[in-house]
Amino acid sequence: MDDIVKAAMAKWPNVPHCYGWLGLDARGNWYMRDDRTQAAGPFPDSKGSLLQHEKLIDFIHRNYAVDEQGRWYFQNGPQRVYVELEATPWIWRLQPDGRVLSHTGAPVHVQDSLLDESGRLYLVTDAGVGLVHSADMVQAAERVEAGRWSPHQVVASALPTRYGFVQSPQRRQPHA
């Protein structure tokens, strides 16, 4: 986490959390979801505006974390901005040299692979579970055919419970 974020958290410890304003799609893209977007429906049916500002995206990546309840968030200064997930908290990118990187650019070590009822491939890593980016499926198939990965069958809707993450913190937020 950035030092400036830690300092802001110490200076303003009681800033309310933010729900519904940020989404991560199945391709690792971030979406800003204003009031009108949220009123139009849940993520990903109503995605919002694709974030394209590289420095903002890098800032989000450096300050992306999970709380004790499995809700993923971006720590934006003193405010915790919870993330609506289309699929999983991680989107994996396969590299030509055999490495696997998260959508944030962090390297991970693959421990297991899973295949759901729709043919989507997930990897269980030292950082948690994530979906393989659709553009990397040819490389993924080559790794499966070479025997590097042997995917186990899984039902996609069981992943949040099995791997301890919340897809929609907005729908599970405490009500006053």
Side-chain angles (χ1 to χ4, degrees), residues 48 58 63 69 74 78 92 96 107 158 162:
D58 289 344
N63 297 286
Q69 295 175 33
F74 153 54
W92 307 127
R162 184 172 174 183

Side-chain angles (χ1 to χ4, degrees), residues 119-138:
R120 292 176 294 192
L121 183 66
Y122 304 85
L123 300 177
V124 180
T125 74
D126 54 338
V129 69
L131 179 66
V132 173
H133 193 288
S134 59
D136 295 341
M137 288 306 294
V138 170

Side-chain angles (χ1 to χ4, degrees), residues 58-106:
D58 289 344
F59 183 63
I60 292 170
H61 288 172
R62 289 191 311 273
N63 297 286
Y64 183 56
V66 64
D67 71 10
E68 62 282 345
Q69 295 175 33
R71 300 176 301 178
W72 286 82
Y73 64 90
F74 153 54
Q75 190 70 47
N76 184 25
Q79 186 171 53
R80 194 173 275 192
V81 179
Y82 283 98
V83 177
E84 297 292 302
L85 304 171
E86 181 174 356
T88 59
W90 299 109
I91 306 301
W92 307 127
R93 296 307 314 256
L94 309 186
Q95 304 303 300
D97 64 4
R99 293 178 305 137
V100 176
L101 302 179
S102 72
H103 66 277
T104 66

